[in-house]
Amino acid sequence: MAMGEAKPSVLIPMPSCDRDRDLLVAPAAAAAAATHASPSTRAGAGSDDGDDDDESKPSSASAAAAAAQTGREAFHKVVHSWASKKFMTGCVILFPITVTFYVTWWFFCFVDGFFSPIYAHLGINIFGLGFVTSIAFIFVVGVFMSSWVGTSILGLGEWFIKRMPFVRHIYNASKQISAAISPDQNKHAFKEMVIIRHPRIGEYAFGFITSEVLLQDYSSEEHMCCVYVPTNHLYIGDIFLVSSNDVIRPNISVREGIEIVVSGGMSMPQVLSILESEPNQLSRIRTT
């Protein structure tokens, strides 16, 4: 080989600058990406916590609203119950007072209407004068009809009324009712207020003795009482023939018995006593 010949150059592979730059840039880029990603990640985590808080807040608010609604409903129920009870108490107190005043005023106007037109025609306008005149007229009629002349006139009038086809039934029914409360207590009135065993053993009913009957047989006879038991106030009822031994006679007058029937039993006395003449009658009826 000649001294002047050039030696071939040997190329030794060396890492390029680009590779080194890539190696250096890659960790920096990763760090930068991590740096840029951390706020978003934190924001995402924060948003998740915020969502949980947002979800918990409506649940607690709804529970509080439900509790408040329940409290308001309970308060309204208490107020409604109290108001209803007081209103019904007022109705219970005012109802009998109102009915009493209304019936009294109606009766006053009804009785006053008999003679008030006469006084109005005469030019006399005095409040209550017709009522006073009507009461005085009723009193005079009672005094006159108690005499022999009044009884004769009344008998003649009844003779004409009893020959009218439809009017006689109305007159007879109304006369029987009025005779039941008549102070004379004649033969047409209720004689006694009694208690009979009706309709089955262990149950009793109030009744009125209207007449007495002697039930005869071929070999014996039995004294029976005709007992009227009202089923609809006083003017409708049933009639029973009851042995006089099975009739309980309490210490209640006919007038008190009528009040008990008309009031539906509300005027019933707390204690009923049997007359001393028959102390063992109730026990005898129970054993039969």
Side-chain angles (χ1 to χ4, degrees), residues 159-175:
W159 184 83
F160 283 107
I161 292 176
K162 289 181 179 180
R163 277 153 180 77
M164 298 180 181
F166 180 73
V167 178
R168 62 184 179 183
H169 299 290
I170 301 176
Y171 178 78
N172 290 332
S174 59
K175 183 179 179 181

Side-chain angles (χ1 to χ4, degrees), residues 193-209:
M193 174 70 179
V194 296
I195 301 175
I196 62 173
R197 187 170 61 187
H198 174 74
R200 58 181 66 89
I201 297 176
E203 296 183 7
Y204 300 89
F206 285 108
F208 301 92
I209 294 181

Side-chain angles (χ1 to χ4, degrees), residues 148-225:
W148 178 81
V149 178
T151 304
S152 302
I153 296 175
L154 180 62
L156 182 61
E158 288 182 348
W159 184 83
F160 283 107
I161 292 176
K162 289 181 179 180
R163 277 153 180 77
M164 298 180 181
F166 180 73
V167 178
R168 62 184 179 183
H169 299 290
I170 301 176
Y171 178 78
N172 290 332
S174 59
K175 183 179 179 181
Q176 290 175 2
I177 296 175
S178 61
I181 59 176
S182 174
D184 296 336
Q185 293 294 309
N186 52 23
K187 63 180 181 179
H188 299 290
F190 294 153
K191 297 182 181 300
E192 288 183 81
M193 174 70 179
V194 296
I195 301 175
I196 62 173
R197 187 170 61 187
H198 174 74
R200 58 181 66 89
I201 297 176
E203 296 183 7
Y204 300 89
F206 285 108
F208 301 92
I209 294 181
T210 56
S211 61
E212 297 178 356
V213 181
L214 189 62
L215 185 62
Q216 293 182 346
D217 197 359
Y218 292 102
S219 59
S220 62
E221 59 184 20
E222 185 177 3
H223 186 266
M224 308 290 291
C225 294

Side-chain angles (χ1 to χ4, degrees), residues 11-24:
L11 297 175
I12 298 173
M14 294 297 291
S16 63
C17 295
D18 294 335
R19 193 191 312 178
D20 294 338
R21 188 174 63 250
D22 293 337
L23 292 175
L24 293 174

Side-chain angles (χ1 to χ4, degrees), residues 10 14 50 55-56 63 67 70 74 77 79 94 101 125 128 173 178 183 203 214 219 236 258 275 279-280:
V10 180
M14 294 297 291
E55 291 178 356
S56 62
T70 304
K77 288 181 180 180
V79 173
L94 293 178
F101 276 101
N125 296 321
S178 61
E203 296 183 7
L214 189 62
S219 59
I236 297 177
I258 293 174
L275 297 179
N280 298 324

Side-chain angles (χ1 to χ4, degrees), residues 196 198 205-208 227-233 236-240:
I196 62 173
H198 174 74
F206 285 108
F208 301 92
V227 181
Y228 173 75
V229 179
T231 57
N232 185 3
H233 292 294
I236 297 177
D238 299 325
I239 300 175
F240 298 94

